[in-house]
């Protein structure tokens, strides 16, 4: 068994996800073709897809196991912070009279532009710090990868 960091394991996971998409595409594209048309090894790609799928499940389980406790909390927190940041940046802060069209309307915003900017900056800073903690954990935490899995170079 090889020992690799979570950062490398995440890269390996992404490579396997890409390979799943590639093999699925080949099987779907070439399974039924015109006689005399371009051929591909459909069964070989289907078999490769099954093997890659099983390996991806193992990798995801290793990641899940390694990300328990504080790391899991950081991952969940950053996700929710990013969601809040997205809708907060879209928050309408319009205040004052608007005489566009036939009607004159007056708007008042509870949260003004300046306050929204302060809030988003504070959240962005928290996201940055949390991401740094996640990255440090991923770079320093090692897991054992079963034999037969490719090892990405450092």
């Amino acid at each position: 068994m090889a020992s690799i960091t979570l950062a490398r394991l995440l890269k390996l996971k992404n490579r396997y996800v890409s390979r799943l998409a590639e093999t699925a595409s080949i099987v779907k594209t070439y399974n039924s073709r015109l006689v005399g048309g371009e051929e591909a090894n459909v069964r070989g790609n289907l078999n490769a897809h099954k093997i890659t799928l099983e390996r991806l499940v193992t990798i995801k389980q290793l990641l899940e196991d390694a990300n328990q406790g504080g790391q899991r909390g950081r991952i969940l927190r950053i996700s929710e912070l990013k969601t809040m940041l997205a809708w907060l940046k879209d928050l309408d802060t319009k205040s004052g009279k608007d005489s566009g069209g036939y009607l004159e309307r007056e708007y008042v915003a509870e949260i003004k532009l300046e306050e929204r900017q302060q809030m988003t900056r504070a959240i962005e800073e928290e996201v940055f710090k949390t991401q740094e903690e996640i990255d440090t954990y991923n770079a320093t935490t090692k897991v054992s990868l079963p034999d037969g899995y490719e090892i990405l170079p450092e």
Side-chain angles (χ1 to χ4, degrees), residues 9-116:
L9 189 61
L10 284 164
K11 290 177 185 176
L12 186 59
K13 176 192 71 91
N14 292 338
R15 181 177 285 182
Y16 278 41
V17 167
S18 176
R19 286 190 182 157
L20 281 178
E22 179 184 11
T23 55
S25 176
I26 291 169
V27 170
K28 291 188 310 186
T29 301
Y30 294 101
N31 184 56
S32 180
R33 60 181 173 75
L34 290 172
V35 174
E38 188 177 354
E39 294 183 31
N41 185 351
V42 171
R43 291 190 186 278
N45 276 280
L46 181 60
N47 189 49
H49 189 88
K50 290 176 182 178
I51 292 168
T52 303
L53 184 142
E54 291 305 321
R55 289 183 175 181
L56 181 61
V57 169
T58 300
I59 288 170
K60 285 184 173 185
Q61 184 62 55
L62 288 169
L63 287 167
E64 186 68 27
D65 291 348
N67 284 325
Q68 296 302 310
Q71 180 71 344
R72 188 75 188 137
R74 285 187 287 273
I75 292 169
L76 295 172
R77 179 158 186 74
I78 202 169
S79 173
E80 295 306 323
L81 286 170
K82 287 178 178 180
T83 299
M84 182 178 184
L85 193 57
W87 68 257
L88 198 54
K89 284 183 175 183
D90 283 341
L91 184 65
D92 190 355
T93 58
K94 182 176 11 180
S95 287
K97 291 186 179 182
D98 179 15
S99 58
Y102 296 106
L103 298 174
E104 183 174 295
R105 297 179 180 149
E106 187 170 356
Y107 294 91
V108 61
E110 181 72 25
I111 298 171
K112 307 289 191 256
L113 177 62
E114 296 78 22
E115 183 181 1
R116 182 186 74 182

